[in-house]
């Protein structure tokens, strides 16, 4: 699935103290998100996060994502509204790839941050 949100940060803006953001998805982004996730409608999508530099050129993003959406019941197809607030924790590393996690064997999904490659680096 292609990512319907193309939110990016400029590394130079992070600085020594880190960077805190509150971002709200536009109506077009919410529509694309609903289509990508098979939702009837996405009425809200927001993120509050802090991004800090780590050793070795890595960055850690921690915060919360809030989503309000309507989906169709799989039995009756009636619309069901839901509101979620979930924590996020992602580490961005230069040169990271899916192969980086594969060599360590299986591990529980909640044993640390997800690891993503840094784009354009």
């Amino acid at each position: 699935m292609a990512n319907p949100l193309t939110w990016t940060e400029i590394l130079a803006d992070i600085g020594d103290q880190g960077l805190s953001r509150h971002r709200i998805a536009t109506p077009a982004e919410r529509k694309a998100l609903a289509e990508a996730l098979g939702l009837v409608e996405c009425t809200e999508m927001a993120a509050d996060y802090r991004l800090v530099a780590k050793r070795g050129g890595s960055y850690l993003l921690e915060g919360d994502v809030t989503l309000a959406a309507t989906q169709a019941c799989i039995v009756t197809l009636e619309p069901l509204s839901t509101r979620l607030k979930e924590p996020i924790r992602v580490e961005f590393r230069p040169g990271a790839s899916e192969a980086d996690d594969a060599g360590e064997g299986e591990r529980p999904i909640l044993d640390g941050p997800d690891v993503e490659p840094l784009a354009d680096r």
Side-chain angles (χ1 to χ4, degrees):
M1 165 176 65
N3 187 352
L5 295 176
T6 56
W7 295 349
T8 59
E9 296 293 351
I10 298 169
L11 296 180
D13 291 345
I14 296 169
D16 295 337
Q17 302 303 312
L19 176 72
S20 294
R21 287 273 197 252
H22 172 74
R23 298 187 86 159
I24 300 173
T26 65
E29 289 170 329
R30 292 193 321 265
K31 182 179 180 191
L33 187 61
E35 289 173 4
L37 297 175
L39 300 169
V40 173
E41 180 181 30
C42 177
T43 56
E44 177 187 354
M45 191 333 207
D48 290 289
Y49 59 87
R50 181 157 177 76
L51 189 57
V52 295
K54 296 181 63 171
R55 289 186 195 166
S58 295
Y59 295 85
L60 181 64
L61 181 142
E62 292 182 288
D64 294 300
V65 173
T66 302
L67 173 76
T70 302
Q71 59 186 5
C73 173
I74 61 170
V75 176
T76 66
L77 299 181
E78 292 293 318
L80 299 171
S81 295
T82 189
R83 183 173 179 81
L84 303 169
K85 184 173 184 177
E86 294 292 325
I88 54 172
R89 187 168 188 235
V90 181
E91 185 175 338
F92 295 91
R93 292 183 191 156
S97 69
E98 290 179 23
D100 292 343
D101 288 331
E104 298 177 16
E106 291 188 26
R107 65 180 176 94
I109 195 165
L110 300 177
D111 275 4
D114 290 335
V115 176
E116 296 288 334
L118 275 173
D120 299 327
R121 196 138 201 240

